[in-house]
Amino acid sequence: MTTTDTAPDDTETSAQRYRIGDRDTSGRYPVTVDGQPGGDIHRFHGEWYARPHGHTEESRHDDRKKAAAHLVGLVDSGVIDPAAAPSEIPADETQGIVPWLSPRMKPTRRNILNAGIALGRIAELAWLPQDKDGNTTGYPGSDNWWDLKCQLDGKVIPRWWSHLRGRNGDNTPRPVYRHKGCIPFEDQAAKVAALVGEPPTGCPCREVAHPTTPDDVDQLLKRAERARKADDVDTLRPLLTQLLGPCPASSARAESMKTFLPKPKN
């Protein structure tokens, strides 16, 4: 559960007492207070969230400093016991309806479209939605870390989809050199082309029929929306698999999905 809890904190004074560690594979940063476990913080859709050590509830804050300082206040007020067992991430944070959509992203029509477009594009760029343990990582939104595996050298790199998709009509990803330590820049385009090849325009999959035309996408989206509103997960799961699951024709599917997005204003 997320709250806007406001334990007393003095951001400047608290900064001398907390330390923010390195981001883990789930996108969270561990925080110590006076050298003892204080909890963790993470960013999602432009806001920061603090989760106290030994607790599962979160509080929302304007920036990372205020989120970390909030944990200091909770230590001082006795809410956090540094000797308690670590917080356990609730199951719904790690297990979504399907692996290609972050469990924090509701399977709404707009989120499904954005996810399908993103998944199609990263396939064209020779990235895989995969973490260091080989698990599929779901689309987390445009401005959140997304662990992706570079197919050129096998490294897993946290990226923002907003950087990969380009901007202002220019589809060139940023940075153009992919990531630090990748193969030489002058060899990248040829290797991507060799890996990706010419994507088919129709789904060749045998077990699942993925949509590649606007009409097929529209029908599945309507069925998925009805299932979501009815809280019918058993019906929704295979529909999301058709709309988001890996397919050699994911580029064609993504292009069809783009036709349902609002037209940009001039």
Side-chain angles (χ1 to χ4, degrees), residues 14 17-19 31-39 68 71-73 75-76 80 82:
S14 298
R17 299 175 55 196
Y18 68 72
R19 293 292 181 271
V31 177
T32 58
V33 177
D34 300 330
Q36 299 295 317
L71 297 176
V72 176
V75 168
D76 290 346
I80 295 177

Side-chain angles (χ1 to χ4, degrees), residues 54-115:
H55 298 259
T56 58
E57 73 278 4
E58 299 177 335
S59 55
R60 186 169 58 246
H61 305 273
D62 294 335
D63 56 48
R64 61 186 281 157
K65 292 181 179 179
K66 291 181 179 179
H70 177 75
L71 297 176
V72 176
L74 292 179
V75 168
D76 290 346
S77 63
V79 172
I80 295 177
D81 176 8
S87 311
E88 291 188 4
I89 299 178
D92 62 356
E93 285 194 32
T94 58
Q95 299 176 357
I97 297 175
V98 292
W100 309 285
L101 185 66
S102 167
R104 299 196 66 167
M105 301 289 287
K106 294 181 180 180
T108 62
R109 181 184 179 94
R110 183 62 180 268
N111 285 343
I112 293 170
L113 288 171
N114 287 337

